[in-house]
């Protein structure tokens, strides 16, 4: 369940990146415009990912290495090859999680997707976001950074905060930090090595219920 919760937040950010910046502040407005342009300019992105996971229950940080690809807003693949081989694939309404040994968990997340789209794609999405999160945005020479702290109980009982870093040049993600109420903190660092490449059809192949 801890893995599923952490993945749900990661997927939410990847599917709905634009909602993070929907406020009237000048900096957030500028970031939103860049993110929206990036969504139309870049059809696919692939690269490597490193997750550094910490918790009071483990002696030292756990570091996971893998690769990822994304296409549009509804197709995503993440594969960890060390230390524990794991494959995660999202295709429209279905999420597959395959762990070492070949066991695959099939999740129908269509209800979650519809709820997210209803909350963040409506005319009232900006107001809804302000009700749910306090957002602090800042920038340096290389990055935009947004820190989201939940305000509503809907998110507060599962999440302490999210921190998203975007490359100022192309508005693509550099890192995502997820700090959960479970006591697990995960920092995902992305290195994008391929943009707008034609991907094999089986890249996002999933098992459906």
């Amino acid at each position: 369940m801890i893995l599923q919760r952490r993945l749900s937040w990661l997927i939410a950010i990847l599917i709905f990146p634009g909602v993070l910046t929907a406020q009237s502040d000048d900096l957030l407005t500028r970031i939103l415009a860049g993110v929206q342009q990036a969504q139309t300019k870049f059809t696919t992105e692939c690269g490597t990912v490193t997750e550094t996971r910490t918790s009071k229950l483990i002696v030292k940080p756990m570091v996971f290495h893998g690769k990822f690809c994304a296409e549009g807003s509804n197709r995503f693949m993440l594969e960890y090859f060390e230390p524990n081989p794991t494959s995660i694939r999202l295709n429209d309404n279905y999420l597959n999680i395959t762990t070492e040994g070949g066991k695959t968990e099939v999740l129908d997340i269509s209800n979650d997707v519809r709820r997210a789209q209803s909350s963040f794609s409506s005319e009232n999405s900006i107001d809804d976001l302000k009700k749910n999160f306090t957002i602090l945005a800042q920038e340096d020479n290389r990055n935009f950074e947004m820190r989201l702290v939940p305000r509503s109980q809907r998110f507060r009982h599962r999440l302490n905060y999210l921190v998203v870093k975007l490359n100022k040049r192309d508005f693509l993600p550099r890192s995502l930090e997820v700090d959960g109420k479970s006591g697990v903190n995960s920092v995902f660092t992305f290195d994008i090595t391929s943009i707008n490449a034609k991907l094999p059809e089986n890249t996002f192949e999933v098992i459906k219920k």
Side-chain angles (χ1 to χ4, degrees):
M1 289 301 293
I2 291 176
L3 174 61
Q4 184 175 338
R5 291 192 191 102
R6 185 167 59 252
L7 288 174
S8 68
W9 285 111
L10 175 60
I11 291 167
I13 297 302
L14 291 170
I15 295 178
F16 308 107
V19 306
L20 299 180
T21 58
Q23 289 194 11
S24 59
D25 179 86
D26 289 343
L27 177 57
L28 289 175
T29 301
R30 181 154 52 97
I31 297 173
L32 174 58
V35 169
Q36 291 175 336
Q37 290 176 8
Q39 288 177 322
T40 58
K41 181 178 179 181
F42 305 126
T43 56
T44 65
E45 304 94 36
C46 293
T48 60
V49 58
T50 300
E51 179 193 350
T52 303
R53 191 181 306 171
T54 57
S55 169
K56 293 181 180 179
L57 300 179
I58 57 178
V59 177
K60 61 180 181 179
M62 299 176 64
V63 181
F64 300 82
H65 299 280
K67 62 181 181 179
F68 75 94
C69 282
E71 182 178 87
S73 62
N74 60 347
R75 306 179 87 186
F76 179 74
M77 178 276 291
L78 171 64
E79 290 185 352
Y80 285 138
F81 38 81
E82 61 178 27
N84 300 317
T86 305
S87 173
I88 301 155
R89 281 178 168 79
L90 169 70
N91 194 327
D92 291 327
N93 295 325
Y94 287 92
L95 177 70
N96 287 185
I97 303 174
T98 303
T99 53
E100 191 173 9
K103 182 179 180 180
T104 298
E105 182 177 9
V106 180
L107 301 173
D108 183 345
I109 62 170
S110 55
N111 290 335
D112 295 330
V113 171
R114 281 194 293 269
R115 279 196 295 268
Q117 289 174 336
S118 176
S119 297
F120 297 122
S121 300
S122 66
E123 293 180 358
N124 298 323
S125 60
I126 294 178
D127 292 335
D128 290 341
L129 189 64
K130 289 180 180 180
K131 290 177 182 178
N132 288 318
F133 293 97
T134 298
I135 306 176
L136 174 64
Q138 56 186 0
E139 63 179 317
D140 57 28
N141 291 333
R142 299 183 60 197
N143 303 313
F144 292 114
E145 178 179 302
M146 292 165 289
R147 182 182 180 92
L148 291 87
V149 179
R151 302 177 63 184
S152 66
Q153 186 60 30
R154 174 186 173 189
F155 297 99
R156 195 163 51 195
H157 79 282
R158 292 184 294 175
L159 179 71
N160 292 320
Y161 62 84
L162 293 169
V163 178
V164 182
K165 287 187 178 181
L166 302 173
N167 189 321
K168 290 186 73 172
R169 185 183 67 254
D170 51 24
F171 293 90
L172 291 174
R174 285 191 184 274
S175 67
L176 166 68
E177 179 180 358
V178 182
D179 194 81
K181 291 294 186 180
S182 64
V184 177
N185 178 284
S186 289
V187 177
F188 301 85
T189 302
F190 304 100
D191 182 13
I192 297 175
T193 57
S194 173
I195 294 176
N196 292 340
K198 183 174 177 57
L199 304 177
E201 279 299 319
N202 63 356
T203 301
F204 308 104
E205 186 175 9
V206 295
I207 300 171
K208 300 180 180 180
K209 288 184 178 180

